[in-house]
Amino acid sequence: QLQLQESGPGLVRPSETLSLTCTVSGGSISSSTYFWGWIRQPPGKGLEWIGTVYYSGSTYYNPSLKSRVTISVDTSKNQFSLKLSSVTAADTAVYYCARVPSGFFDYWGQGTLVTVSS
Amino acid sequence: QSALTQPASVSGSPGQSITISCTGTSSDVGNYDYVSWYQQHPGKAPKLMIYDVSNRPSGVSNRFSGSKAGNTASLTISGLQAEDEADYYCSSYTSSITYVFGTGTKVTVL
């Protein structure tokens, strides 16, 4: 059974960089069939797609976040990562990682709350 | 990119059918059959309910069905049950090789 698990600091200072890692178990991140993505959800609000990465390193980002986002993949560790720079309180959210077969998100991590505060 | 438009809330009595709409544009919902639907209970991660407009993943009840007409996709829940009370989100692939989610709909079982 495929499982995804997000990890990283739960508190980030304003103007700093948010860094999260998603560890994939029960399947290979190097599969040519899948992309891997990040989605976030501010408290009490809706879902927002952040970006998607392929095992080769190709990336696709939400235009509204593109200037601050970097998503990368480490096939040796079966992990992919998210970096969001210059964070503000508006970036406070539950961050999810997910598998992306083609046009949808089928397996999700449990999510991790990241709070931006001094 | 703008979020897809969903009604804020939909309600129904047990056993009834309800339909949630998801309106986009010709750059997303109207141009691709990559519309998906997610159910989210409080404090939980979203769960895939429908993919590629009308396909159900293994394990999802056949009470859930999806369709699309033009720029609007729909999710129908038939035989409404108490456990269906949750938030529902649609999503679509877009022409910019990106994804967009809907605004979300709270389903209440009366």
Side-chain angles (χ1 to χ4, degrees), chain A:
Chain A
Q1 177 76 351
L2 187 78
Q3 292 187 322
L4 294 87
Q5 179 69 57
E6 306 88 351
S7 59
L11 180 64
V12 181
R13 306 299 183 191
S15 80
E16 295 188 344
T17 296
L18 178 160
S19 296
L20 295 174
T21 296
C22 181
T23 300
V24 179
S25 58
S28 174
I29 203 170
S30 299
S31 170
S32 60
T33 308
Y34 305 110
F35 288 75
W36 305 88
W38 288 97
I39 302 99
R40 70 179 183 178
Q41 184 173 36
K45 296 187 178 182
L47 301 169
E48 179 181 35
W49 174 75
I50 299 172
T52 303
V53 64
Y54 195 49
Y55 78 96
S56 63
S58 298
T59 52
Y60 306 90
Y61 299 136
N62 185 324
S64 68
L65 299 170
K66 188 173 183 176
S67 64
R68 299 193 291 129
V69 172
T70 301
I71 297 176
S72 59
V73 61
D74 186 336
T75 55
S76 67
K77 294 182 179 179
N78 226 34
Q79 296 175 334
F80 62 105
S81 298
L82 167 70
K83 291 187 185 298
L84 180 65
S85 64
S86 304
V87 297
T88 69
D91 295 309
T92 293
V94 175
Y95 286 76
Y96 295 101
C97 59
R99 190 178 76 170
V100 191
S102 178
F104 58 95
F105 308 87
D106 60 351
Y107 284 90
W108 295 63
Q110 65 184 23
T112 187
L113 175 62
V114 178
T115 301
V116 178
S117 175
S118 56

Side-chain angles (χ1 to χ4, degrees), chain A residues 39 41 45-49 52 60-64 96 100 102-106 108-111, chain B residues 1 34-36 38 40 44-48 51-52 89 91 93 96-103:
Chain A
I39 302 99
Q41 184 173 36
K45 296 187 178 182
L47 301 169
E48 179 181 35
W49 174 75
T52 303
Y60 306 90
Y61 299 136
N62 185 324
S64 68
Y96 295 101
V100 191
S102 178
F104 58 95
F105 308 87
D106 60 351
W108 295 63
Q110 65 184 23
Chain B
Q1 57 187 14
Y34 288 137
V35 176
S36 51
Y38 304 86
Q40 186 180 35
K44 300 294 187 182
K47 174 187 176 183
L48 177 67
Y51 66 95
D52 295 353
Y89 294 91
S91 176
Y93 180 79
S96 304
I97 319 180
T98 63
Y99 292 87
V100 62
F101 282 95
T103 50

Side-chain angles (χ1 to χ4, degrees), chain B residues 24-105:
Chain B
T25 69
S26 58
S27 295
D28 39 61
V29 175
N31 199 37
Y32 300 96
D33 285 337
Y34 288 137
V35 176
S36 51
W37 289 90
Y38 304 86
Q39 176 191 64
Q40 186 180 35
H41 287 109
K44 300 294 187 182
K47 174 187 176 183
L48 177 67
M49 304 302 283
I50 295 287
Y51 66 95
D52 295 353
V53 176
S54 60
N55 293 306
R56 273 188 314 275
S58 174
V60 172
S61 171
N62 59 9
R63 297 184 299 103
F64 292 85
S65 62
S67 62
K68 189 184 85 166
N71 295 339
T72 299
S74 299
L75 173 71
T76 297
I77 309 175
S78 58
L80 198 62
Q81 299 180 0
E83 66 203 50
D84 301 331
E85 186 161 294
D87 293 327
Y88 291 82
Y89 294 91
C90 61
S91 176
S92 176
Y93 180 79
T94 84
S95 59
S96 304
I97 319 180
T98 63
Y99 292 87
V100 62
F101 282 95
T103 50
T105 298

